């Protein structure tokens, strides 16, 4: 990793002009790789970027990358940057798009202790970049609003942050979506948020459990008075929240529905339709 290089003239570095996606590997298999590839290639099309590889070839590259690393539990990223334009041209069509991929050991937004007791979350007044400015369905590196939110959270002695949409409702946090549980129903924001793959997986799991999930506005007060709440991310899966702005949710411990979903989520990593096995050196 430390030997990888990218030009300082690449627009991905200079202008955050890039899209990417991340998929995790668990016990030697990608989890829901097809959905991550769907989102990555859709982002390329929306940003008028091209790479010299099709889906099958990207799958081979990612698999080879993981196999060479030897990591059985890994965090894998695929990236396309705008690339460098000749002669300082401001025309993005003049740039040559660049593809890269890497894998590192699996990591989580929440550490082991936080997973056990739940995260302390604070709501920042910072507003997420509106979707009319940056399409949130295109995974991107525009994180300055999220970083500002994190510093607000740290000042409140919280461990991570949620920021608002342009209507004053909860949007999302640094690399994760949020769900609230109230009266056995699940509610998650719809406006201006990344349609996360783990978020999508929660929808699928709730249908399997014959439970209701609603997508819409999530007001800060609704979240603070929820019975339970959890965050979702490829980096961590389903992560419980114990308090919001210092207000305990329920008894201040990970809730029953959160724990049920979390257990099912990790069980589904063995589901053949959702798991793409990787062949490591010596496996044959």
């Amino acid at each position: 990793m430390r030997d990888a290089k990218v030009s300082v003239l690449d627009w991905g570095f200079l202008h955050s002009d890039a899209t990417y996606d991340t998929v995790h590997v668990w016990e030697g298999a990608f989890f829901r790789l097809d959905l991550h590839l769907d989102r990555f290639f859709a982002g390329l099309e929306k940003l008028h970027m091209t790479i010299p590889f099709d889906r099958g070839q990207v799958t081979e590259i990612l698999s080879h990358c993981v196999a060479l690393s030897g990591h059985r539990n890994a965090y894998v990223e695929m990236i396309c940057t705008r690339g460098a334009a000749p002669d300082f041209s401001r025309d993005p069509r003049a740039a040559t798009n660049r593809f890269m991929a890497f894998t590192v050991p699996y990591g989580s937004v929440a550490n082991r202790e936080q997973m056990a007791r739940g995260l302390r979350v604070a709501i920042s007044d910072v507003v997420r970049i509106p979707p009319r400015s940056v399409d949130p369905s295109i995974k991107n590196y525009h994180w300055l609003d999220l970083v500002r939110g994190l510093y607000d959270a740290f000042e409140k002695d919280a461990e991570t942050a949620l920021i608002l949409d342009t209507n004053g409702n909860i949007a999302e946090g640094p690399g994760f979506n949020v769900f609230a549980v109230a009266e056995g129903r699940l509610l998650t924001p719809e406006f201006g948020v990344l349609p996360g793959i783990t978020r999508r997986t929660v929808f699928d799991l709730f249908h399997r459990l014959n439970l209701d999930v609603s997508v819409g506005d999530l007001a800060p007060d609704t979240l603070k008075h929820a019975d339970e709440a959890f965050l979702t991310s490829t980096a961590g899966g389903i992560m419980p929240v114990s308090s919001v702005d210092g207000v305990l949710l329920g008894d201040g411990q990970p809730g029953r529905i959160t724990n049920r979903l979390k257990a099912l989520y990790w069980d589904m990593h063995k589901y053949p339709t959702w798991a793409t096995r990787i062949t490591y050196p010596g496996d044959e």
Side-chain angles (χ1 to χ4, degrees):
M1 286 290 294
R2 63 176 174 267
D3 295 327
K5 296 178 175 65
V6 61
S7 170
V8 295
L9 298 179
D10 191 307
W11 283 23
F13 174 73
L14 292 177
H15 307 310
S16 195
D17 189 352
T19 188
Y20 73 104
D21 216 290
T22 55
V23 56
H24 73 233
V25 170
W26 194 251
E27 295 182 350
F30 290 109
F31 185 62
R32 310 209 78 175
L33 177 60
D34 57 334
L35 298 183
H36 288 279
L37 290 172
D38 288 346
R39 188 169 61 183
F40 180 63
F41 277 91
L44 293 178
E45 183 176 359
K46 291 174 182 177
L47 291 178
H48 305 282
M49 291 179 174
T50 58
I51 60 174
F53 311 111
D54 59 24
R55 287 175 63 106
Q57 290 170 316
V58 169
T59 298
E60 285 185 20
I61 291 168
L62 298 181
S63 299
H64 189 57
C65 188
V66 177
L68 287 177
S69 77
H71 300 318
R72 300 283 170 164
N73 301 321
Y75 184 84
V76 187
E77 190 159 324
M78 62 197 100
I79 309 165
C80 183
T81 69
R82 185 69 62 189
D87 303 321
F88 293 96
S89 168
R90 293 298 180 93
D91 186 343
R93 297 171 298 180
T96 301
N97 304 157
R98 302 295 302 273
F99 174 81
M100 58 198 82
F102 67 82
T103 180
V104 293
Y106 180 78
S108 172
V109 172
N111 62 34
R112 185 172 298 179
E113 177 193 347
Q114 292 164 341
M115 279 287 200
R117 60 161 165 81
L119 282 153
R120 299 191 301 270
V121 174
I123 301 171
S124 169
D125 291 333
V126 173
V127 174
R128 189 72 170 115
I129 299 172
R132 290 185 64 183
S133 298
V134 175
D135 182 348
S137 70
I138 304 171
K139 201 164 171 66
N140 62 72
Y141 292 121
H142 300 290
W143 267 49
L144 289 183
D145 49 1
L146 296 168
V147 171
R148 286 181 59 205
L150 273 173
Y151 275 97
D152 286 346
F154 298 152
E155 289 175 1
K156 297 177 181 177
D157 197 30
E159 294 164 322
T160 194
L162 290 164
I163 64 175
L164 305 176
D165 66 23
T166 52
N167 300 314
N169 295 305
I170 301 292
E172 58 189 350
F176 53 78
N177 297 112
V178 60
F179 287 80
V181 180
E183 299 178 354
R185 296 180 63 253
L186 203 61
L187 178 63
T188 192
E190 178 179 29
F191 178 70
V193 303
L194 174 76
I197 304 304
T198 312
R199 176 178 180 265
R200 158 75 179 274
T201 301
V202 169
F203 296 159
D204 294 336
L205 297 180
F206 246 59
H207 291 316
R208 286 174 174 269
L209 296 172
N210 293 319
L211 297 171
D212 292 329
V213 57
S214 299
V215 180
D217 292 337
L218 176 58
D221 280 348
T222 300
L223 180 61
K224 290 179 188 179
H225 293 94
D227 300 321
E228 306 175 33
F230 58 86
L231 313 177
T232 60
S233 173
T234 294
I238 295 172
M239 299 168 285
V241 173
S242 58
S243 67
V244 178
D245 284 348
V247 179
L248 293 181
L249 303 185
D251 62 2
Q253 298 295 320
R256 180 181 60 85
I257 290 176
T258 300
N259 286 334
R260 188 179 177 191
L261 278 170
K262 181 181 171 185
L264 182 57
Y265 171 79
W266 288 105
D267 284 345
M268 293 303 292
H269 281 63
K270 301 180 181 120
Y271 189 57
T273 305
W274 290 2
T276 305
R277 303 301 308 178
I278 297 165
T279 301
Y280 292 83
D283 281 357
E284 294 120 350

